[in-house]
Amino acid sequence: MFVYGLIAWTTKVSVSDEHNALGSKGFVGLENYTKLFTEDINDRFTHSLKNLALFTIVFLVGAMFFGLLWAFILERGVKAEGFFRTVYLFPMAVSFVASGVVWRWLMNPNKGENAGGLNAVLGGLGLDFAQSTWWTNPNWGMASMAIPAIWQLAGYVMALFLAGFRGIPAELREAAAMDGASTYRLYRNVIFPQLTPVALSALIILGHMSMKMFDLIMSVSGPQWLTEVPAIYVWQTLLTSDYAKAAAISIILLLLVAVVIVPYLIYTNRQEKNA
């Protein structure tokens, strides 16, 4: 009732003409959906989708890269491994709202004498050329917005990969060593292929989280055009009591998440049955 029932109710609203608090007067079919792509002011919905795509790509690449790198370093053996695991995982314990407030200060777009946060650090090091306008940049603002998300969830990816490394049977390593495999060949042909299911799981989990990202972006930039994504667009549309439009955006967002999740669920179920 609280999941599928609400999805069904949202779908019903999305095909109605309930554009104000007075309620719906009738069925309009897919009109609300087509208007999002054809008649939305300043192509606002397609703009939010482009922002979401850029944010998701940068976030996934960054989180997967640093997560795998940290797991690889820890798997190779370092002193105080428990300390570093805690440091990498700690950002997960911080709420997106709290980290967003801090990162809003760190990514202060002001430069020169008024610089703050990271720009102030870069200026103090004599690296004024590296200062950035961060999330206020009209071209790459959403890429900068992915930095806090990478910082917060790369440790989670590290934990997944580290568990994957530790779950590889020692017999495989010993057999490769007896066959004369170098360290490079060992990781490339034996270990990394064993991590494919872990990498797929991490991509799916992070991918669907990025599509629904709301609180982190709102905490950093607020409801601004440059960094608007569908989740924020839904919230702002609801504030105007345009329930039908907000419901249509929500259903499209649900379908985007389903495109990512459903094939993965089918794949894992088949793998379990074959096993």
Side-chain angles (χ1 to χ4, degrees), residues 9 11-29 32 241-244:
W9 180 82
T11 303
K12 177 184 177 182
V13 175
S14 72
V15 294
S16 71
D17 60 350
E18 191 172 351
H19 298 295
N20 52 54
L22 299 178
S24 174
K25 296 180 180 180
F27 172 79
V28 296
N32 295 318
S241 299
D242 194 342
Y243 302 116

Short mmCIF file of all heavy atoms in Angstrom, two decimals, residues 9 11-29 32 241-244:
data_model
loop_
_atom_site.label_atom_id
_atom_site.label_comp_id
_atom_site.label_asym_id
_atom_site.label_seq_id
_atom_site.Cartn_x
_atom_site.Cartn_y
_atom_site.Cartn_z
N TRP A 9 -1.03 5.74 -7.43
CA TRP A 9 -1.71 7.03 -7.26
C TRP A 9 -0.95 8.15 -7.98
O TRP A 9 -1.55 9.00 -8.62
CB TRP A 9 -1.81 7.36 -5.77
CG TRP A 9 -2.49 8.67 -5.49
CD1 TRP A 9 -3.83 8.92 -5.45
CD2 TRP A 9 -1.86 9.92 -5.24
NE1 TRP A 9 -4.08 10.24 -5.18
CE2 TRP A 9 -2.88 10.88 -5.04
CE3 TRP A 9 -0.53 10.33 -5.15
CZ2 TRP A 9 -2.61 12.21 -4.77
CZ3 TRP A 9 -0.26 11.66 -4.87
CH2 TRP A 9 -1.29 12.59 -4.69
N THR A 11 0.96 7.78 -10.59
CA THR A 11 0.75 7.56 -12.03
C THR A 11 -0.60 8.14 -12.45
O THR A 11 -0.72 8.77 -13.51
CB THR A 11 0.82 6.06 -12.36
OG1 THR A 11 2.07 5.53 -11.94
CG2 THR A 11 0.65 5.84 -13.86
N LYS A 12 -1.61 7.92 -11.63
CA LYS A 12 -2.94 8.45 -11.94
C LYS A 12 -2.93 9.98 -12.00
O LYS A 12 -3.50 10.59 -12.91
CB LYS A 12 -3.94 7.97 -10.89
CG LYS A 12 -5.35 8.54 -11.08
CD LYS A 12 -6.27 8.11 -9.95
CE LYS A 12 -7.65 8.74 -10.10
NZ LYS A 12 -8.56 8.37 -8.98
N VAL A 13 -2.26 10.61 -11.04
CA VAL A 13 -2.18 12.07 -11.02
C VAL A 13 -1.42 12.58 -12.24
O VAL A 13 -1.75 13.62 -12.81
CB VAL A 13 -1.52 12.55 -9.72
CG1 VAL A 13 -1.31 14.07 -9.74
CG2 VAL A 13 -2.36 12.17 -8.51
N SER A 14 -0.38 11.83 -12.67
CA SER A 14 0.46 12.28 -13.78
C SER A 14 -0.28 12.33 -15.11
O SER A 14 0.16 13.01 -16.04
CB SER A 14 1.68 11.38 -13.91
OG SER A 14 1.33 10.10 -14.42
N VAL A 15 -1.40 11.61 -15.23
CA VAL A 15 -2.17 11.62 -16.48
C VAL A 15 -3.47 12.40 -16.30
O VAL A 15 -4.43 12.21 -17.05
CB VAL A 15 -2.47 10.18 -16.95
CG1 VAL A 15 -1.19 9.47 -17.35
CG2 VAL A 15 -3.20 9.39 -15.86
N SER A 16 -3.50 13.28 -15.30
CA SER A 16 -4.68 14.11 -15.05
C SER A 16 -4.34 15.57 -15.32
O SER A 16 -3.20 15.91 -15.66
CB SER A 16 -5.15 13.93 -13.60
OG SER A 16 -4.23 14.55 -12.71
N ASP A 17 -5.32 16.44 -15.13
CA ASP A 17 -5.10 17.87 -15.31
C ASP A 17 -5.10 18.60 -13.96
O ASP A 17 -5.56 19.73 -13.85
CB ASP A 17 -6.16 18.47 -16.24
CG ASP A 17 -7.57 18.30 -15.69
OD1 ASP A 17 -7.72 17.55 -14.69
OD2 ASP A 17 -8.49 18.90 -16.23
N GLU A 18 -4.56 17.92 -12.95
CA GLU A 18 -4.53 18.48 -11.59
C GLU A 18 -3.35 19.45 -11.45
O GLU A 18 -2.31 19.10 -10.88
CB GLU A 18 -4.44 17.37 -10.55
CG GLU A 18 -4.68 17.84 -9.13
CD GLU A 18 -4.79 16.69 -8.14
OE1 GLU A 18 -4.85 15.53 -8.59
OE2 GLU A 18 -4.80 16.95 -6.94
N HIS A 19 -3.49 20.64 -11.99
CA HIS A 19 -2.40 21.62 -12.00
C HIS A 19 -2.55 22.68 -10.91
O HIS A 19 -1.85 23.69 -10.93
CB HIS A 19 -2.33 22.30 -13.36
CG HIS A 19 -2.04 21.35 -14.48
ND1 HIS A 19 -0.85 20.66 -14.59
CD2 HIS A 19 -2.80 20.94 -15.54
CE1 HIS A 19 -0.87 19.89 -15.67
NE2 HIS A 19 -2.05 20.04 -16.26
N ASN A 20 -3.48 22.47 -9.99
CA ASN A 20 -3.64 23.40 -8.87
C ASN A 20 -4.29 22.65 -7.70
O ASN A 20 -4.55 21.44 -7.79
CB ASN A 20 -4.49 24.61 -9.28
CG ASN A 20 -5.80 24.21 -9.93
OD1 ASN A 20 -6.57 23.43 -9.37
ND2 ASN A 20 -6.05 24.73 -11.14
N ALA A 21 -4.52 23.38 -6.63
CA ALA A 21 -5.05 22.77 -5.42
C ALA A 21 -6.55 22.47 -5.50
O ALA A 21 -7.12 21.93 -4.55
CB ALA A 21 -4.77 23.67 -4.22
N LEU A 22 -7.18 22.78 -6.63
CA LEU A 22 -8.63 22.57 -6.76
C LEU A 22 -8.97 21.14 -7.14
O LEU A 22 -10.14 20.77 -7.15
CB LEU A 22 -9.20 23.54 -7.81
CG LEU A 22 -9.04 25.02 -7.49
CD1 LEU A 22 -9.60 25.87 -8.63
CD2 LEU A 22 -9.72 25.37 -6.17
N GLY A 23 -7.95 20.33 -7.50
CA GLY A 23 -8.20 18.94 -7.85
C GLY A 23 -8.25 18.72 -9.35
O GLY A 23 -8.14 19.65 -10.15
N SER A 24 -8.42 17.46 -9.72
CA SER A 24 -8.44 17.08 -11.13
C SER A 24 -9.84 17.14 -11.71
O SER A 24 -10.83 16.83 -11.04
CB SER A 24 -7.88 15.67 -11.28
OG SER A 24 -8.01 15.22 -12.61
N LYS A 25 -9.90 17.53 -12.98
CA LYS A 25 -11.18 17.58 -13.67
C LYS A 25 -11.32 16.50 -14.73
O LYS A 25 -12.41 16.28 -15.26
CB LYS A 25 -11.36 18.95 -14.32
CG LYS A 25 -11.45 20.10 -13.34
CD LYS A 25 -11.64 21.42 -14.06
CE LYS A 25 -11.73 22.56 -13.08
NZ LYS A 25 -11.92 23.88 -13.76
N GLY A 26 -10.21 15.86 -15.07
CA GLY A 26 -10.31 14.83 -16.09
C GLY A 26 -8.99 14.20 -16.47
O GLY A 26 -7.92 14.57 -15.96
N PHE A 27 -9.06 13.26 -17.38
CA PHE A 27 -7.91 12.48 -17.85
C PHE A 27 -7.35 13.16 -19.10
O PHE A 27 -8.08 13.52 -20.02
CB PHE A 27 -8.39 11.06 -18.17
CG PHE A 27 -7.36 10.21 -18.84
CD1 PHE A 27 -6.35 9.62 -18.11
CD2 PHE A 27 -7.42 9.99 -20.21
CE1 PHE A 27 -5.41 8.82 -18.73
CE2 PHE A 27 -6.50 9.19 -20.83
CZ PHE A 27 -5.48 8.60 -20.10
N VAL A 28 -6.00 13.34 -19.13
CA VAL A 28 -5.36 14.00 -20.28
C VAL A 28 -4.33 13.12 -20.96
O VAL A 28 -3.61 13.57 -21.85
CB VAL A 28 -4.70 15.33 -19.84
CG1 VAL A 28 -5.73 16.31 -19.33
CG2 VAL A 28 -3.62 15.07 -18.80
N GLY A 29 -4.24 11.86 -20.55
CA GLY A 29 -3.30 10.94 -21.18
C GLY A 29 -1.85 11.31 -20.91
O GLY A 29 -1.48 11.66 -19.79
N ASN A 32 0.96 15.59 -20.06
CA ASN A 32 1.91 16.16 -19.11
C ASN A 32 3.34 15.71 -19.40
O ASN A 32 4.29 16.47 -19.19
CB ASN A 32 1.53 15.77 -17.68
CG ASN A 32 0.21 16.37 -17.26
OD1 ASN A 32 -0.07 17.53 -17.54
ND2 ASN A 32 -0.63 15.58 -16.60
N SER A 241 1.90 23.81 -6.42
CA SER A 241 0.67 23.00 -6.42
C SER A 241 0.35 22.41 -7.79
O SER A 241 -0.80 22.03 -8.05
CB SER A 241 -0.53 23.82 -5.92
OG SER A 241 -0.32 24.25 -4.59
N ASP A 242 1.36 22.31 -8.68
CA ASP A 242 1.15 21.66 -9.98
C ASP A 242 1.42 20.17 -9.80
O ASP A 242 2.47 19.65 -10.17
CB ASP A 242 2.10 22.26 -11.03
CG ASP A 242 1.69 21.86 -12.45
OD1 ASP A 242 0.94 20.88 -12.58
OD2 ASP A 242 2.14 22.53 -13.40
N TYR A 243 0.44 19.49 -9.22
CA TYR A 243 0.62 18.10 -8.85
C TYR A 243 0.79 17.17 -10.05
O TYR A 243 1.55 16.21 -10.01
CB TYR A 243 -0.56 17.63 -7.99
CG TYR A 243 -0.74 18.47 -6.75
CD1 TYR A 243 -1.89 19.23 -6.55
CD2 TYR A 243 0.25 18.51 -5.77
CE1 TYR A 243 -2.06 20.00 -5.41
CE2 TYR A 243 0.09 19.28 -4.63
CZ TYR A 243 -1.06 20.02 -4.46
OH TYR A 243 -1.22 20.79 -3.34
N ALA A 244 0.07 17.43 -11.12
CA ALA A 244 0.15 16.58 -12.30
C ALA A 244 1.55 16.62 -12.91
O ALA A 244 2.12 15.59 -13.27
CB ALA A 244 -0.89 17.01 -13.32
#
